[in-house]
Amino acid sequence: MWRMARPRMPLLSRDRIVEAAGALVDAEGLEAVSTRRLAAALGVSGPSLYNHFRTKDEILDAVADAVSARVDLSMFEPAAARGWRDALHDWAHSYRDALSDHPNIVPVLARGPGRRPAGLRLADAVFGAMTAAGWPPAQATRIGALMRYFILGSAVGSFAGGFVDDEAAYDPSDYPHLGQAHLLAEHRREVDDGAFDTGLAALLDGLALQYEALTARTPGAAAAAPGPCDPDPGQAPRA
């Protein structure tokens, strides 16, 4: 009886390709991803990749969606019973944590969810929670966009890391207020995390004022949604 020899490498799959592409993006950036590099990393021929992805852009979309899939959305579920503000706060931190490990993929995510399933689930969860809390659909859309701009922007680069640790670079005659700038890089995590928390609090405080004004004008807006994420049978979801 003939027996099939086991392949020396695991069979090629979408997951293996995405994992290898993600490692390349993390290590060297988006431009490092090519069929040649991926095929070499996976120990396969270049054309075999096209059985799973038609283009490089499709591969990068899949890498981006794998990152989106790591974002916690449980705070938007009705069972979580979280207010809209607390839900946005916790989601923003989960989103930033996912991006901080993979900053090189942020430019792809910044294009929007497109047809990516995890990205669309993310948009759907935020929009659904905001409308269920009583936000008008148009404003719920703006809130989703606003939060995405803020979170993705925070992941593009480090503010503190942009300053060199050379005191001589900040001549007081030229930069009289940057006498301590050379210390910023040393405290990068503290500065960047503090900036994110400050900005997030400012955004949520501003939205809370708008929400108070909304509910004062239309008291039924909040009463119509006893739970922060309860579905509104009269409102169709919008992306």
Side-chain angles (χ1 to χ4, degrees), residues 117-199:
L120 290 172
R121 282 193 294 271
L122 188 154
D124 181 72
V126 175
F127 180 84
M130 295 306 101
T131 54
W135 286 100
Q139 187 66 355
T141 298
R142 297 185 192 105
I143 290 171
L146 168 68
M147 296 298 294
R148 190 171 70 89
Y149 295 151
F150 174 68
I151 297 166
L152 292 177
S154 74
V156 169
S158 165
F159 173 82
F163 292 85
V164 300
D165 60 0
D166 180 6
E167 187 174 4
Y170 309 101
D171 189 323
S173 63
D174 294 324
Y175 316 109
H177 306 297
L178 296 181
Q180 301 296 308
H182 64 287
L183 300 176
L184 285 172
E186 181 182 347
H187 301 280
R188 173 174 177 168
R189 184 66 179 267
E190 179 184 354
V191 172
D192 292 345
D193 286 355
F196 183 82
D197 289 339
T198 299

Side-chain angles (χ1 to χ4, degrees), residues 1 9 18 21-22 35-36 51 83 90 114 133 141 165 171 203 207 237:
M1 173 183 258
M9 294 286 292
V18 170
T35 55
R36 181 183 60 81
N51 293 325
D90 292 352
T141 298
D165 60 0
D171 189 323
L203 287 178
L207 289 174

Side-chain angles (χ1 to χ4, degrees), residues 7 15 18 22 67 74 76 94 96 109 142 148 162 204 213 225 232:
D15 287 345
V18 170
V67 173
S74 64
F76 294 124
S94 176
R96 180 174 180 249
L109 288 164
R142 297 185 192 105
R148 190 171 70 89
L204 296 178
D232 178 357

Side-chain angles (χ1 to χ4, degrees), residues 9-10 12 16-18 20-21 24 32-50 59:
M9 294 286 292
L12 191 61
R16 283 193 64 215
I17 296 170
V18 170
L24 270 177
V33 178
S34 68
T35 55
R36 181 183 60 81
R37 291 287 303 276
L38 283 175
L42 292 164
V44 299
S45 64
S48 64
L49 299 176
Y50 295 111
I59 295 173

Side-chain angles (χ1 to χ4, degrees), residues 88-138:
L88 283 180
H89 175 276
D90 292 352
W91 167 70
H93 276 280
S94 176
Y95 201 171
R96 180 174 180 249
D97 288 345
L99 297 182
S100 66
D101 292 331
H102 309 282
N104 290 339
I105 200 64
V106 171
V108 178
L109 288 164
R111 301 172 192 163
R115 298 177 183 271
R116 299 193 295 268
L120 290 172
R121 282 193 294 271
L122 188 154
D124 181 72
V126 175
F127 180 84
M130 295 306 101
T131 54
W135 286 100

Side-chain angles (χ1 to χ4, degrees), residues 17-94:
I17 296 170
V18 170
E19 183 179 358
L24 270 177
V25 171
D26 287 344
E28 301 180 41
L30 297 172
E31 296 304 317
V33 178
S34 68
T35 55
R36 181 183 60 81
R37 291 287 303 276
L38 283 175
L42 292 164
V44 299
S45 64
S48 64
L49 299 176
Y50 295 111
N51 293 325
H52 301 274
F53 295 98
R54 292 176 297 177
T55 65
K56 170 183 169 178
D57 284 343
E58 282 191 0
I59 295 173
L60 292 177
D61 270 347
V63 172
D65 213 40
V67 173
S68 294
R70 298 173 189 173
V71 181
D72 183 13
L73 300 176
S74 64
M75 66 287 295
F76 294 124
E77 296 174 0
R82 305 296 303 277
W84 66 266
R85 177 180 176 139
D86 288 342
L88 283 180
H89 175 276
D90 292 352
W91 167 70
H93 276 280
S94 176

